[in-house]
Amino acid sequence: MLEDLPGKVAVVTGGCRGIGKEIVLELVKNKVKVAFNYVSNKNAASHFVNEVEELGGEVIAAQADVRNQIEVRAFIDTTKKRFGRIDFLVNNAGILKDKLLMVMSDEEWKDVIETNLYGTFFITRQIIVNFLKQKSGSIVNLSSTAGLIGNAGQVNYSSSKAGIIGLTKSLAKEVAPYGIRVNAVAPGYIQTDMVKTLNESRLIEGLHLVPMKRIGRPEEVAKVVLFLLSDASSYITGQVIPIDGGLAI
């Protein structure tokens, strides 16, 4: 357990499944209180809350779409009312709608950009004021190797994840004088529902490009996120850490 984490409060977007769920579990294991949002699957969120509480963790789940500023504000207000403060933010919520650019619809572009990039912007802007008042806080944004090297058929997704990298670096420069750190991780092929939606031949082709020749595990991402949130990384800001088995080399 990292000694500076117990009693802290974290907000994790999209914390009900995949990488987000593992991040919540890793935080709870380190005695961090967690608030996470979900969009529509209330049963899954309730089940996960029960699972965390059985582990002795403190967690709340709120229905909120990160694209909706009113719902984002209500989510953050609920978190502060329950836990009193916020110390960490993990922007994890994201979607895929893969298609070649020439046949990509306006909606397929808009939905991915608004969820992945606008969502990160909306919730970060809502929380950053609290961090500035506290003169402390740590943010980790979930980018992707797609944002570093691009992927054919993912112009919308790659653009959103590259935008998150730009947001991370720029915001890190803005808030560093106030004791706030902002970093990002860039996962490659990780064993999540999102990766399971990929065509099998495409996944096999992609794994040929991974020097470690395997898919990553969500907990391998969660442990790096935990490190970046904690004081163990107290002199690291504005950085993007690939977690990809060497894919982006």
Side-chain angles (χ1 to χ4, degrees):
M1 183 184 297
L2 294 170
E3 61 182 18
D4 64 295
L5 294 181
K8 296 290 180 67
V9 178
V11 168
V12 180
T13 65
C16 198
R17 60 194 180 106
I19 292 172
K21 184 175 183 178
E22 289 298 328
I23 291 170
V24 172
L25 289 171
E26 197 66 37
L27 287 165
V28 167
K29 289 176 188 175
N30 283 268
K31 307 300 181 184
V32 176
K33 302 170 186 178
V34 181
F36 71 88
N37 75 303
Y38 65 94
V39 177
S40 59
N41 198 336
K42 186 174 182 178
N43 288 336
S46 297
H47 179 77
F48 185 40
V49 168
N50 292 336
E51 180 184 337
V52 170
E53 289 177 343
E54 287 175 5
L55 294 172
E58 291 187 63
V59 64
I60 58 172
Q63 187 168 14
D65 187 332
V66 294
R67 298 173 298 180
N68 186 311
Q69 297 187 63
I70 294 173
E71 293 181 10
V72 163
R73 189 177 302 114
F75 172 39
I76 300 309
D77 287 346
T78 297
T79 302
K80 290 192 292 184
K81 185 176 181 180
R82 169 69 182 273
F83 295 132
R85 60 181 287 130
I86 299 170
D87 302 287
F88 306 134
L89 169 61
V90 181
N91 283 303
N92 167 76
I95 61 171
L96 282 172
K97 290 195 175 181
D98 293 355
K99 195 167 285 185
L100 295 175
L101 178 63
M102 63 181 177
V103 291
M104 183 178 291
S105 70
D106 292 353
E107 287 303 311
E108 287 163 339
W109 168 267
K110 182 180 177 183
D111 286 348
V112 172
I113 295 294
E114 288 190 347
T115 301
N116 300 359
L117 184 55
Y118 281 30
T120 298
F121 165 66
F122 288 150
I123 199 157
T124 302
R125 185 174 61 179
Q126 188 66 33
I127 286 179
I128 201 67
V129 174
N130 298 277
F131 286 178
L132 289 168
K133 289 178 180 177
Q134 294 168 187
K135 290 186 168 51
S136 67
S138 185
I139 300 171
V140 177
N141 298 320
L142 271 287
S143 181
S144 168
T145 52
L148 292 170
I149 60 177
N151 276 335
Q154 289 191 321
V155 168
N156 48 3
Y157 185 74
S158 296
S159 297
S160 70
K161 294 300 185 177
I164 286 172
I165 290 172
L167 185 155
T168 298
K169 290 179 177 292
S170 295
L171 183 60
K173 289 184 176 182
E174 287 184 15
V175 299
Y178 301 91
I180 302 163
R181 297 183 300 108
V182 189
N183 292 289
V185 294
Y189 291 102
I190 306 296
Q191 191 62 52
T192 64
D193 291 342
M194 186 178 286
V195 167
K196 290 175 185 177
T197 65
L198 297 176
N199 179 280
E200 184 178 356
S201 61
R202 178 176 174 180
L203 181 58
I204 292 171
E205 180 183 349
L207 285 177
H208 282 309
L209 302 174
V210 178
M212 292 183 71
K213 301 302 180 187
R214 70 172 176 86
I215 293 179
R217 301 185 300 275
E219 58 266 29
E220 292 177 304
V221 179
K223 289 180 185 301
V224 179
V225 170
L226 191 77
F227 166 73
L228 290 172
L229 290 174
S230 76
D231 285 347
S233 61
S234 57
Y235 201 51
I236 299 175
T237 196
Q239 302 305 307
V240 183
I241 312 298
I243 310 171
D244 62 359
L247 175 62
I249 294 173

